[in-house]
Amino acid sequence: MPSLSPFLPGTADAPVSDQDAIVDGFLASQEAVGRTLYPHQEEALLAIAAGDHVIAATPTGSGKTTIGYAAIFAAVARGERAYYTAPIKALVSEKFFDLVAMFGADMVGMMTGDSSVNHDAPIIVCTAEILANHALRDGPTSDVGLAVMDEFHFYGDSQRGWAWQVPLLELPRCQMVLMSATLGDVTAFVTDLEERTERDVTVVADAPRPVPLDFRWSLDPLPDTIRTVLEDRDAPVYIVHFTQKDALEQAQALSGTKVLSAEEAERIRELIGDFRFSRGFGQILSKLVRQGIGVHHAGMLPKYRRLVERLAQSGLLKIICGTDTLGVGINVPIRTVLLTGLAKYDGRRSRLLNAREFHQIAGRAGRAGFDTVGHVIVQAPEWTIEFEQQRAKQRAREENGQTPNSAKKRKKEPKPKIPEGAVSWSEANLTKLVENPPEPLRPHLRITSSMLLALIARPGDAVASARHLIFTSHQTRSQQVALARQAIELFRGLRDADIVEVLPEPDHLGRRIALTEDLQLDFTMNQPLAPFAIAMIDALDEASETLTMDTVSIIEAILEDPFQILLAQQNAAKGELLAELKADGVEYTERMALLDEVTWPRPLAEDLEASLEIYRRSHPWVREDDLSPKSIVREIYETGQTFSEFVQRYGLQRSEGIVLRYLSDAYQAMRRTIPQDLRTEELEDVIEWLGVLVRGIDSSLLDEWEALAHPADDEGDAASEVRPASPRGLSAQTKVLRRMVRAAMWQRVEHFAFEREARLAELDGASGWDRKAWAQAMDDYYDTYDEVGIDAPARSPKLLQIIEESKVWRIRQVLDDPQGHHDWAIEAELDLEATDEAGEPVLAITKVGEISAF
């Protein structure tokens, strides 16, 4: 999209509401770049300028995004605040940078829940939950004049659909623009919006797809299908898998396939520039994208997904292997979509895709202005392909007279061998999906403690606000009654936990219920068991040495389980125990029984479960399943592992994004859920450390915005180039960095004490300290002393010496020997420049031995 600011009628100080001026201004902006609106886009523009709600239910590729941007243009011209919502952060970031290019960095902000940029801007790009929380907090007094809700079919999502419903209920003065290619029947939305807002609704649903699709059923093996696509010049191709593992394995299997010319390969190298690829998955991705092969799934770090999207937008990635994440609105030029199946696991069971899911994915095929047709290929199941191959061979033998044509032989004709528990699909399923329209959207409102807190913070009567939210919702009457009962129970829990209080008289905002005064301004409760967690933290022994870590464990116990991480921890624990049992000569049967009892670390499990049982007697709506003790943040903190070390330790290279998401959720929960009066100085240090850790892992979006906001500091087109993700200034945050260094050195002391030379080699092999070198150092130490102290005296700050120089920190961790001589140490250097580049401490061991020998 071109810059729209020069075409805006009026100014910020003198906005206009003239419909013709708004329409003419936007049309002029398109004509300036040689673009003419489609008839359905012009219809939507006229309706937006007239103040109507607009429902754009048009096919993928028909220009819904232009309708959304036209709506933002109209809102800015009228001097209104506008929100543009999207369901995933990747799409939020894409729209954010588009709007920055159109209106300028000072005009656009971004909010995703765990990061905020320019949040006071007149245009906000955000996830749907952000707008929903704003609607709950401000209600009819909201200053939002217009809201564009992209991918509105998420209204039907059972977990997140509430966030698409709440703005419709709570923002009656806001002009709505609802957009999706897979809305289905929108009659109910039209009726509801007209009655609720007394504003007309224009439905734009008759747009033709600019690039038609053809559909093909493939009985060829997948490698042959891919080869045909490439030979027929039908790339770029998006190969859709339904597990992250399969997507990455397919991409790696294609490594070495020549899909780029020398000029294209050079252009990719230029676009990548000095982008920072971390160890593990980053190195794998670096190798793949330089060959024109991308990977895209939710388990990747945001900076990697964004890199793949940017490279794909350049047209240089000929193959992208991923899950259906790229089907959620990301603007990537794809000619062919190749689905490896029509069945997926939805978190509860394996099932066939529904029509909406299929059309969302298939709709990515075909690029307006580039392609005359988009191709959608669906692979038959492997067992069907094998069956058809066997049947073809059988027919060939019969035709050649090699097989008697008898009833007896016909009985032996091969049949498909469907694996037990597998969901099969057929060409008939494909035909049905192509022909069927998307299913009707069903509402999914829910009530949480966080939603009640937002309503309570709103001026006026919170009870009346809650009643309005629930009983004017789109739910059935029985569902509304159930939600009301749940709201009452949740309120009682908040009151009992002293999070809210009932005032004897209304305050100056007319509220009879208010948050307690000692809560932080951004206090929130996004977890069902947050009140229980606060009560548990309040009951902890303030004199306990483990107070801080126990507080962390309580918060972790109420967070959603990241099963990939937990299972990796469990498998690692089983592996270590198995090695010990074998070394001790424990018999097989006993070994298996002991291994069955192993799970991931579950700190405070017995105490928490016993307390929850008591808590549920007075809070019966609380579910036992919402409590799940685990130790991820606690393990990283106590062991001193860096993010990269944790990922490597548990083999989570494919799931780095899941690890980051969990750490970010834990940070937000600790920062926003634990009241100020329950925070110790040590806990504040942990929260600060975790925030720095999360920021250091991936700060790409904030880096890009700062480059856009300060264009004089950077050359080139910031909105279109791939930029390096370089976390800013870990070296400048000396307090946190010292804590990280202290933890990293202590991790090595513990491994040294337990003679874990293999673990030490994992940490320091790159700096020359492999298993052999560590084993020799241990032999030398244990020739003199029997053990290494790891109790409180061994952790004394006096035994850790850090000399902070401008480019390098020199570190000496003295070992606590039994005689107290303190004449042995582990020495290391911290490269500050490399640390800033990596976003985590980069240590290199230099010496291990007697201090006198250094």
Side-chain angles (χ1 to χ4, degrees):
M1 290 291 292
S3 173
L4 300 184
S5 295
F7 301 94
L8 283 166
T11 65
D13 296 328
V16 301
S17 57
D18 183 83
Q19 299 176 25
D20 292 338
I22 291 172
V23 170
D24 291 344
F26 190 77
L27 290 175
S29 74
Q30 304 305 293
E31 291 171 3
V33 292
R35 182 179 296 156
T36 302
L37 295 185
Y38 295 127
H40 68 275
Q41 291 175 322
E42 190 164 346
E43 178 188 0
L45 172 61
L46 291 169
I48 289 166
D52 292 358
H53 299 301
V54 170
I55 299 177
T58 62
T60 301
S62 61
K64 286 186 297 297
T65 298
T66 297
I67 293 174
Y69 293 158
I72 299 294
F73 180 91
V76 173
R78 294 190 294 242
E80 298 173 341
R81 196 166 198 216
Y83 273 58
Y84 193 117
T85 77
I88 60 174
K89 295 174 186 177
L91 191 53
V92 169
S93 67
E94 178 184 287
K95 303 307 180 187
F96 169 72
F97 290 113
D98 283 353
L99 287 166
V100 166
M102 294 177 208
F103 296 99
D106 59 329
M107 288 287 290
V108 187
M110 177 179 66
M111 300 172 70
T112 62
D114 52 14
S115 63
S116 176
V117 171
N118 201 20
H119 61 86
D120 291 327
I123 303 170
I124 295 294
V125 190
C126 61
T127 54
E129 284 80 359
I130 296 296
L131 177 60
N133 287 327
H134 168 88
L136 290 168
R137 188 178 61 252
D138 288 20
T141 65
S142 167
D143 64 347
V144 178
L146 177 139
V148 178
M149 302 191 74
D150 205 352
E151 305 295 333
F152 188 75
H153 61 273
F154 270 81
Y155 171 97
D157 186 275
S158 61
Q159 298 298 314
R160 301 181 61 199
W162 68 273
W164 278 260
Q165 183 177 173
V166 165
L168 305 184
L169 308 178
E170 296 297 308
L171 299 177
R173 298 191 298 169
C174 179
Q175 182 182 11
M176 296 291 176
V177 178
L178 315 179
M179 308 191 305
S180 174
T182 55
L183 288 180
D185 184 5
V186 298
T187 304
F189 295 112
V190 173
T191 302
D192 181 74
L193 282 171
E194 288 179 342
E195 292 178 354
R196 194 181 297 271
T197 67
E198 297 182 353
R199 192 192 294 242
D200 291 338
V201 179
T202 296
V203 178
V204 180
D206 58 351
R209 182 183 169 91
V211 181
L213 298 179
D214 68 25
F215 297 88
R216 196 177 98 207
W217 175 255
S218 175
L219 287 167
D220 295 328
L222 182 58
D224 293 348
T225 304
I226 296 171
R227 190 180 306 112
T228 300
V229 169
L230 296 176
E231 290 174 352
D232 291 348
R233 299 183 179 277
D234 286 334
V237 54
Y238 189 62
I239 306 175
V240 182
H241 297 267
F242 292 99
T243 71
Q244 298 170 8
K245 174 177 176 290
D246 289 343
L248 179 57
E249 288 180 352
Q250 180 63 66
Q252 290 178 294
L254 291 167
S255 180
T257 304
K258 184 172 178 55
V259 298
L260 297 178
S261 66
E263 293 77 12
E264 289 172 328
E266 177 59 31
R267 178 59 178 153
I268 280 187
R269 283 194 291 272
E270 292 174 358
L271 286 174
I272 291 173
D274 57 354
F275 181 93
R276 176 172 59 84
F277 292 94
S278 304
R279 290 183 297 171
F281 176 78
Q283 295 170 329
I284 296 172
L285 183 64
S286 176
K287 178 182 177 182
L288 289 170
V289 294
R290 294 175 197 279
Q291 299 178 64
I293 301 169
V295 182
H296 194 283
H297 59 70
M300 296 165 59
L301 293 178
K303 65 178 181 181
Y304 292 144
R305 288 202 305 271
R306 183 154 177 76
L307 173 70
V308 169
E309 290 158 12
R310 289 290 189 84
L311 292 175
Q313 285 165 345
S314 72
L316 294 171
L317 289 186
K318 305 302 182 183
I319 302 171
I320 305 175
C321 301
T323 57
D324 52 352
T325 54
L326 206 65
V328 188
I330 304 298
N331 183 24
V332 172
I334 295 295
R335 180 171 295 172
T336 301
V337 170
L338 170 54
L339 289 95
T340 59
L342 290 177
K344 66 181 289 186
Y345 181 73
D346 63 7
R348 296 182 297 111
R349 60 188 177 90
S350 292
R351 59 168 177 80
L352 292 175
L353 299 180
N354 60 42
R356 175 169 289 105
E357 292 167 332
F358 175 77
H359 287 295
Q360 278 295 131
I361 301 168
R364 296 296 105 200
R367 304 167 295 173
F370 294 90
D371 301 323
T372 57
V373 64
H375 306 286
V376 181
I377 304 171
V378 176
Q379 282 291 116
E382 292 180 3
W383 48 87
T384 300
I385 294 172
E386 182 180 351
F387 166 67
E388 292 295 342
Q389 290 175 337
Q390 291 176 358
R391 190 161 67 170
K393 291 178 182 178
Q394 179 78 4
R395 288 173 178 169
R397 286 194 294 269
E398 290 178 358
E399 290 174 1
N400 293 331
Q402 298 175 358
T403 302
N405 188 14
S406 65
K408 181 178 179 181
K409 291 294 183 180
R410 286 183 182 278
K411 289 181 181 179
K412 295 183 179 180
E413 183 174 329
K415 296 181 179 180
K417 296 179 181 178
I418 302 174
E420 185 177 354
V423 175
S424 191
W425 60 94
S426 66
E427 190 171 7
N429 294 127
L430 170 60
T431 302
K432 186 176 179 181
L433 288 171
V434 172
E435 295 175 349
N436 284 0
E439 300 81 5
L441 290 170
R442 294 175 52 210
H444 294 279
L445 185 65
R446 61 187 177 92
I447 300 295
T448 65
S449 296
S450 182
M451 294 172 71
L452 291 185
L453 291 177
L455 292 174
I456 289 169
R458 179 195 293 187
D461 185 346
V463 174
S465 296
R467 187 180 293 115
H468 174 272
L469 172 68
I470 293 170
F471 288 105
T472 68
S473 72
H474 302 159
Q475 310 304 127
T476 64
R477 184 63 182 180
S478 60
Q479 291 172 334
Q480 291 174 348
V481 171
L483 288 172
R485 289 173 179 164
Q486 185 181 13
I488 293 170
E489 292 168 344
L490 288 172
F491 169 74
R492 289 171 179 165
L494 295 173
R495 184 192 58 195
D496 295 346
D498 294 327
I499 295 165
V500 301
E501 58 183 342
V502 179
L503 304 177
E505 297 291 338
D507 66 8
H508 66 290
L509 295 176
R511 299 178 300 188
R512 292 294 303 266
I513 304 171
L515 301 179
T516 54
E517 294 182 1
D518 55 353
L519 297 175
Q520 57 269 33
L521 291 176
D522 60 352
F523 179 83
T524 189
M525 306 178 77
N526 292 324
Q527 291 74 32
L529 284 180
F532 167 75
I534 292 173
M536 286 295 297
I537 294 170
D538 194 25
L540 291 175
D541 181 2
E542 294 183 8
S544 171
E545 292 182 358
T546 62
L547 172 64
T548 298
M549 286 296 98
D550 288 348
T551 300
V552 171
S553 291
I554 291 171
I555 292 297
E556 288 203 76
I558 67 171
L559 297 178
E560 186 176 348
D561 283 338
F563 283 109
Q564 292 93 327
I565 305 174
L566 300 182
L567 292 176
Q569 287 180 315
Q570 177 174 286
N571 291 336
K574 286 187 175 184
E576 292 172 0
L577 177 59
L578 180 60
E580 293 176 10
L581 295 175
K582 284 185 175 180
D584 293 341
V586 178
E587 293 184 358
Y588 176 81
T589 304
E590 186 178 352
R591 287 204 310 261
M592 292 302 100
L594 291 170
L595 288 173
D596 285 342
E597 298 176 2
V598 175
T599 183
W600 53 82
R602 302 177 73 243
L604 306 181
E606 291 185 5
D607 290 343
L608 287 169
E609 289 165 358
S611 297
L612 182 62
E613 186 175 348
I614 297 171
Y615 184 82
R616 291 183 71 238
R617 293 173 189 169
S618 55
H619 303 81
W621 64 92
V622 170
R623 300 190 314 161
E624 290 180 272
D625 292 346
D626 289 331
L627 182 72
S628 178
K630 46 193 167 289
S631 180
I632 298 171
V633 174
R634 183 167 184 164
E635 177 182 329
I636 294 174
Y637 186 88
E638 289 187 325
T639 62
Q641 296 176 83
T642 64
F643 177 81
S644 299
E645 289 166 356
F646 182 82
V647 167
Q648 182 179 7
R649 163 92 175 102
Y650 292 112
L652 293 165
Q653 288 83 355
R654 279 199 311 268
S655 304
E656 289 177 324
I658 293 171
V659 181
L660 173 60
R661 199 173 304 126
Y662 177 83
L663 295 177
S664 178
D665 289 346
Y667 170 64
Q668 298 295 347
M670 285 193 279
R671 185 170 69 89
R672 295 180 174 177
T673 303
I674 304 175
Q676 289 292 153
D677 63 339
L678 295 180
R679 298 191 189 189
T680 63
E681 184 176 348
E682 184 180 0
L683 181 60
E684 292 284 9
D685 288 344
V686 172
I687 295 173
E688 181 183 6
W689 159 80
L690 186 54
V692 171
L693 177 67
V694 169
R695 174 62 185 272
I697 295 166
D698 191 337
S699 62
S700 53
L701 293 181
L702 294 179
D703 288 333
E704 289 194 58
W705 179 80
E706 288 188 354
L708 290 167
H710 305 93
D713 299 336
D714 199 16
E715 296 180 357
D717 182 3
S720 61
E721 294 296 318
V722 176
R723 300 190 167 275
S726 52
R728 291 172 298 288
L730 178 55
S731 63
Q733 303 180 69
T734 53
K735 179 182 177 182
V736 173
L737 184 55
R738 285 193 206 102
R739 204 225 66 80
M740 290 179 166
V741 168
R742 185 163 61 247
M745 295 304 291
W746 182 252
Q747 179 185 188
R748 288 160 173 82
V749 170
E750 286 195 325
H751 290 330
F752 195 93
F754 290 102
E755 301 184 61
R756 301 171 183 151
E757 61 268 24
R759 295 284 297 277
L760 286 164
E762 290 177 8
L763 297 175
D764 302 306
S767 59
W769 281 83
D770 57 14
R771 188 167 184 165
K772 182 178 179 181
W774 277 109
Q776 182 61 55
M778 290 176 188
D779 289 344
D780 293 343
Y781 177 86
Y782 288 111
D783 284 345
T784 305
Y785 299 112
D786 294 333
E787 61 182 20
V788 176
I790 56 172
D791 53 6
R795 291 177 175 267
S796 171
K798 296 179 181 179
L799 298 184
L800 177 65
Q801 301 154 18
I802 301 177
I803 300 174
E804 300 179 10
E805 299 178 1
S806 60
K807 295 185 178 181
V808 176
W809 285 9
R810 306 191 188 281
I811 304 143
R812 172 182 288 175
Q813 174 66 62
V814 178
L815 302 181
D816 187 28
D817 60 86
Q819 278 71 48
H821 295 158
H822 296 158
D823 55 356
W824 267 72
I826 302 173
E827 291 199 349
E829 290 183 350
L830 178 77
D831 185 323
L832 295 179
E833 184 176 344
T835 292
D836 283 341
E837 175 68 15
E840 58 187 25
V842 177
L843 283 169
I845 301 299
T846 55
K847 301 171 184 176
V848 181
E850 290 186 78
I851 294 176
S852 59
F854 289 171

